[in-house]
Amino acid sequence: MDHQIETTLCFSDTAPPSPVTISDFSDEILLNILRYIPSHDLVLNVSRACRKLRTLCLDKSLTAHINLHKEYTATDEAVRHLLKELSTEIQTLNVSGCYWLAGSTLDQVTRCKSLVRLDLSGCRVTPVRLSRLLTSLQCLRSLALDIGPKFDLQQLNAEGKAALARLHELKQTLLTPSYGVVPCCSALRSLRLYLEASESWQESGACAQLMVGQSSVPHYQNLRWFSARLAPGEVNRTLLALYLAVFSMRVPAGLIGLVLFVPGPAPPRPAAVAALTESMASAAGSTVRALQLPRTWLDGAGLMRVLAHGCPAYLNLSRCSAPGFNPLHVLLATGRDLSPLRSLNLRGCGRGALPENCSRGEEEMDAESVKSLIECCPRFTHLNLSATHYHHHAPADQDGHLCGALGRLTHLRSLALPVCALAQRAPVMANESHSGSDLSSGSLLLGLKKSRRIGLPIYQPDVGALGEVREEAAASCIRPLLKGCPHLVELELIGAGFLSAMPRNEPAIRKDPAACPWACQVGDSQLAALGNLRFLRRLTLAHLPGVLKGTGLLQLVQGCKDLQMLSLANLGSIKTVNYTQALLEALKLCTQLRDFRLEQPYFNANAAFFEALSHCRLLHRLCLVSRQGTFQLPAVLTFMQSCTEVIMFHMFMGGTLADCKTLQKTLVEGLSASRPALSVVVHPLLHEDLGRVIRDTPLCHLDEITLFKSRVAEEPTALYGRERSTV
């Protein structure tokens, strides 16, 4: 007889308790429940519970598409068993980020003869192993893989090269200057590149060799989607230029997606870019889906040419504003229907005027154009307005605040704003209360008094009913946003001008940026109001100098009970961490937290901190960044031993290199056997070798949590998934 499933009692006010067993649920309900269980758990555990569950676990809706991304408990043995059991059913297999899987486990993928889509990003794939895979997978049409320094295309056999010629989609992460498998992929419709080559003399020499062999790259007459995302470095810029040079020979007709992300100052614009923008959506019946170009590669004429074929669903204009070119004005002046736009990134894209008391080079948001655009695009899903300043100058009792306009976007799911956008009114400066008469009356004492700091508001604690009224008024401008966008899933509040202490491929930043005076007004009362976003899953708070004791953070997590990712950086005073006690209380309530990143100078990661963090029983990844910060080694060891779900521990603080290496070695040796996906990096933040250490970190962790960046509307990932049928 099948294993007996525990009976559940359902109580009602009108009916007596009645037993309900698994057989009383319909198959449709059970299948919806089983979709939330990892595939390897379904095969190894759930299917053995009873005959009914075994039948359901083998349903095609559960077995055709296997996704092991972020399934950190998927061991080599479990994955091999999974591939053996479901080999004839699997059509899509995603093992991206499974860097811990052995090569022998990946060899088992050859069993899946019906496989159409395969993602091996982050896994170790040699040319010989790739040949075996491609030879067996005759139905494969989409492939994602990493190209390492020792990858040699000439080692692929003839059957493997023939399989590559049948591919329609290719995603390559290039860890070294290389064309990878592109020269064999003559039928590509979609090419996505992630250029991650490091700066070294070997890589520069490899680029020179590619220039000689440039003619080996085929023409992409069928290409409809091309994207490239670069890590910092001149080698990656050179590599991108080599890939783009191909388009100068022959421009594909009907390109519907062109996404190019180049960090830092943009290189000179290649001649092929103008031809690509002119050809976008030129084929009959096609429409532009996505567009992103480096800031100096896009001008008003180029944007108008693309919009002439229709408004894309994804548009990234991050930092594209320049004297004489305001992308928002171009959008609004086209006269085209902008309603198809779903994802828009305007990070650092303003009207160029410098607001008072702000650092040079920072942009002021073109708020009126943003409000007009919201009227034209009521179905925004993702919107990024960070890295700009928004200062609301209208009286408090008048409408017109940016949050009021954002509240009309009822479909919004992810939003990034500058911190000062939540300020209700202009800051009251410390020197405003001293009139000229006051100074003249005490003129005899001038020069003897200690000068006041100018530009920062003086905080006066609110007491009693008056304090409640003030807090209510301070958060009043946020109410339209909270009421109009109740289903917001991701929110980023990042101070304009904020720079992380740990940039990529560069020495750590030793000086903190100045805070916007308006941002100093955004503190605990505003954070408490955000607790009304009941569906919030991902939250980023960076550079909020107005946070005092952190009581608002505690109220926030009490309301947002399902937070899965929390990133905090530079809250309150930089020199003194005043919100520690509230943070500890808040962490005890984050029972659903998976990822936690904390960046705070002078932070003390002591036993009390790790004890509070141990209440996050589902925590998978932890990253701590603190200039001049301290940690207690026994507290770290106790935490990691008790929290068995943690597979990533990255800590960049103070301390000696010897202490950091000792802790890292102890954790790796003690936990690797029970946690195959374990990634531990402990290193002094200000050490000169930090860049090398970062390069050796798994890219999935580095990009998703270790390095700070705004992620809202950064990539058209979801859009790309929906549009695959057209690509």
Side-chain angles (χ1 to χ4, degrees):
M1 185 176 179
D2 299 329
H3 296 292
Q4 184 66 34
I5 298 179
E6 184 178 356
T7 300
T8 303
L9 297 180
C10 298
F11 296 94
S12 171
D13 294 336
T14 59
S18 58
V20 178
T21 65
I22 196 71
S23 60
D24 295 314
F25 290 98
S26 66
D27 290 352
E28 183 179 2
I29 292 177
L30 290 174
L31 285 174
N32 280 311
I33 295 174
L34 294 176
R35 286 190 180 96
Y36 291 92
I37 301 177
S39 301
H40 61 284
D41 275 345
L42 287 177
V43 174
L44 294 178
N45 300 314
V46 180
S47 64
R48 299 177 179 178
C50 66
R51 186 178 295 115
K52 181 180 180 67
L53 285 179
R54 176 167 181 80
T55 302
L56 291 176
C57 287
L58 296 178
D59 188 87
K60 288 186 176 181
S61 64
L62 300 178
T63 59
H65 308 285
I66 303 300
N67 186 3
L68 297 179
H69 179 61
K70 292 188 178 180
E71 297 296 344
Y72 304 116
T73 59
T75 63
D76 283 299
E77 181 181 0
V79 174
R80 283 195 293 266
H81 187 79
L82 171 70
L83 296 176
K84 181 179 179 181
E85 288 288 324
L86 306 179
S87 59
T88 59
E89 305 292 334
I90 301 177
Q91 299 178 13
T92 299
L93 178 60
N94 182 1
V95 291
S96 63
C98 296
Y99 50 86
W100 62 90
L101 292 181
S104 57
T105 300
L106 299 178
D107 288 337
Q108 300 301 312
V109 177
T110 57
R111 296 172 174 266
C112 308
K113 306 297 184 182
S114 302
L115 202 61
V116 178
R117 312 183 66 86
L118 176 61
D119 193 338
L120 298 171
S121 302
C123 300
R124 298 179 293 273
V125 181
T126 63
V128 175
R129 178 164 290 115
L130 183 60
S131 291
R132 288 199 295 266
L133 289 172
L134 294 173
T135 301
S136 302
L137 307 177
Q138 296 296 315
C139 298
L140 194 66
R141 293 298 179 268
S142 176
L143 176 65
L145 77 165
D146 290 0
I147 302 297
K150 297 182 180 180
F151 188 90
D152 185 2
L153 186 61
Q154 301 305 318
Q155 295 181 16
L156 286 179
N157 57 25
E159 293 82 359
K161 293 180 179 180
L164 290 173
R166 295 190 294 267
L167 289 182
H168 292 165
E169 300 175 6
L170 176 66
K171 173 190 170 186
Q172 279 193 152
T173 301
L174 298 168
L175 306 177
T176 187
S178 171
Y179 290 130
V181 299
V182 169
C184 296
C185 305
S186 55
L188 285 181
R189 297 179 185 176
S190 170
L191 176 60
R192 291 184 291 160
L193 302 173
Y194 291 80
L195 309 185
E196 297 284 345
S198 61
E199 292 288 307
S200 64
W201 65 269
Q202 295 96 335
E203 309 298 352
S204 302
C207 272
Q209 295 178 4
L210 288 181
M211 292 180 184
V212 176
Q214 183 174 349
S215 60
S216 64
V217 180
H219 303 303
Y220 304 118
Q221 61 271 18
N222 298 320
L223 202 64
R224 304 195 68 194
W225 184 286
F226 179 77
S227 66
R229 300 193 67 83
L230 279 65
E234 192 60 34
V235 171
N236 291 316
R237 293 166 180 261
T238 304
L239 190 55
L240 175 63
L242 293 176
Y243 274 93
L244 291 177
V246 181
F247 296 109
S248 62
M249 304 175 190
R250 179 170 181 177
V251 178
L255 194 68
I256 65 172
L258 179 61
V259 179
L260 304 177
F261 172 75
V262 181
R269 181 172 64 175
V273 172
L276 284 172
T277 56
E278 290 176 358
S279 70
M280 291 193 73
S282 59
S286 61
T287 305
V288 177
R289 303 295 185 190
L291 175 66
Q292 178 183 4
L293 292 176
R295 58 182 305 175
T296 59
W297 293 13
L298 186 65
D299 54 19
L303 184 56
M304 288 286 286
R305 281 195 300 267
V306 174
L307 294 175
H309 300 288
C311 182
Y314 171 83
L315 188 58
N316 193 324
L317 301 172
S318 176
R319 302 192 182 278
C320 280
S321 59
F325 172 49
N326 188 320
L328 285 176
H329 291 175
V330 175
L331 278 173
L332 296 171
T334 58
R336 296 282 178 176
D337 179 19
L338 301 180
S339 59
L341 193 57
R342 296 291 184 272
S343 180
L344 178 63
N345 192 325
L346 294 173
R347 184 174 182 272
C349 185
R351 60 187 180 189
L354 289 173
E356 297 180 0
N357 303 315
C358 293
S359 302
R360 183 168 298 276
E362 296 179 11
E363 296 278 351
E364 181 180 15
M365 186 187 304
D366 191 351
E368 294 305 318
S369 296
V370 171
K371 294 174 186 177
S372 299
L373 188 64
I374 290 174
E375 294 289 339
C376 301
C377 307
R379 299 183 67 84
F380 267 135
T381 306
H382 312 286
L383 181 60
N384 193 326
L385 299 173
S386 63
T388 57
H389 290 269
Y390 172 73
H391 298 166
H392 182 63
H393 292 284
D397 57 348
Q398 291 185 7
D399 192 13
H401 196 281
L402 177 65
C403 290
L406 294 173
R408 293 193 286 270
L409 299 175
T410 57
H411 298 274
L412 202 61
R413 294 297 178 268
S414 62
L415 174 65
L417 288 175
V419 174
C420 53
L422 300 189
Q424 176 69 24
R425 57 178 64 86
V428 178
M429 300 304 176
N431 60 331
E432 286 188 5
S433 60
H434 300 276
S435 62
S437 59
D438 293 332
L439 293 175
S440 60
S441 64
S443 58
L444 292 178
L445 298 178
L446 289 178
L448 300 179
K449 295 181 179 180
K450 184 178 180 180
S451 60
R452 293 177 177 266
R453 294 185 65 188
I454 297 177
L456 292 175
I458 296 177
Y459 173 71
Q460 297 180 351
D462 294 326
V463 182
L466 179 59
E468 295 180 2
V469 172
R470 288 179 178 175
E471 290 188 357
E472 186 72 14
S476 62
C477 66
I478 313 177
R479 283 200 212 100
L481 174 62
L482 303 179
K483 185 177 180 181
C485 307
H487 298 100
L488 205 63
V489 175
E490 182 173 14
L491 177 64
E492 294 179 350
L493 294 178
I494 304 175
F498 171 73
L499 296 174
S500 174
M502 196 178 70
R504 188 172 187 184
N505 296 348
E506 298 174 3
I509 296 175
R510 298 170 181 262
K511 186 177 180 180
D512 298 303
C516 170
W518 291 67
C520 295
Q521 296 187 103
V522 179
D524 290 315
S525 59
Q526 286 81 1
L527 294 186
L530 297 179
N532 292 306
L533 296 173
R534 306 300 184 186
F535 294 92
L536 201 63
R537 299 293 184 271
R538 302 176 59 84
L539 176 64
T540 297
L541 302 173
H543 207 195
L544 277 76
V547 172
L548 297 172
K549 295 298 183 180
T551 54
L553 182 64
L554 179 59
Q555 292 175 269
L556 189 153
V557 299
Q558 287 174 341
C560 305
K561 299 181 181 297
D562 295 323
L563 271 181
Q564 297 181 4
M565 192 285 295
L566 180 61
S567 177
L568 306 176
N570 290 17
L571 302 189
S573 172
I574 299 299
K575 297 294 184 180
T576 307
V577 187
N578 295 324
Y579 68 99
T580 300
Q581 189 57 43
L583 174 63
L584 301 187
E585 295 299 322
L587 288 175
K588 295 177 181 179
L589 302 177
C590 296
T591 57
Q592 301 300 312
L593 199 63
R594 267 73 165 176
D595 296 338
F596 179 51
R597 186 185 191 276
L598 176 64
E599 178 173 339
Q600 188 75 37
Y602 304 99
F603 186 78
N604 181 15
N606 54 21
F609 168 73
F610 283 108
E611 192 280 329
L613 196 60
S614 65
H615 288 77
C616 307
R617 307 305 300 178
L618 299 179
L619 190 68
H620 290 154
R621 299 189 290 187
L622 172 63
C623 179
L624 301 176
V625 180
S626 180
R627 190 178 67 251
Q628 306 298 334
T630 58
F631 65 89
Q632 295 179 359
L633 190 147
V636 176
L637 296 177
T638 302
F639 165 75
M640 289 295 289
Q641 291 169 356
S642 62
C643 295
T644 57
E645 297 293 323
V646 177
I647 57 89
M648 191 206 90
F649 182 83
H650 292 178
M651 187 166 67
F652 306 92
M653 305 182 78
T656 65
L657 181 61
D659 290 341
C660 292
K661 286 187 174 181
T662 298
L663 175 58
Q664 179 173 324
K665 181 180 179 181
T666 303
L667 291 176
V668 171
E669 292 180 349
L671 301 176
S672 292
S674 58
R675 307 179 200 182
L678 185 68
S679 172
V680 177
V681 180
V682 184
H683 202 78
L685 178 62
L686 301 180
H687 196 274
E688 58 184 4
D689 288 338
L690 179 63
R692 177 188 56 79
V693 172
I694 290 177
R695 283 194 295 270
D696 295 335
T697 304
L699 280 176
C700 57
H701 300 320
L702 190 68
D703 187 63
E704 294 173 3
I705 182 171
T706 304
L707 297 180
F708 182 93
K709 64 178 180 179
S710 177
R711 293 176 171 83
V712 171
E714 181 193 23
E715 287 195 71
T717 306
L719 165 72
Y720 181 80
R722 292 194 300 269
E723 300 296 339
R724 275 178 176 154
S725 58
T726 64
V727 175

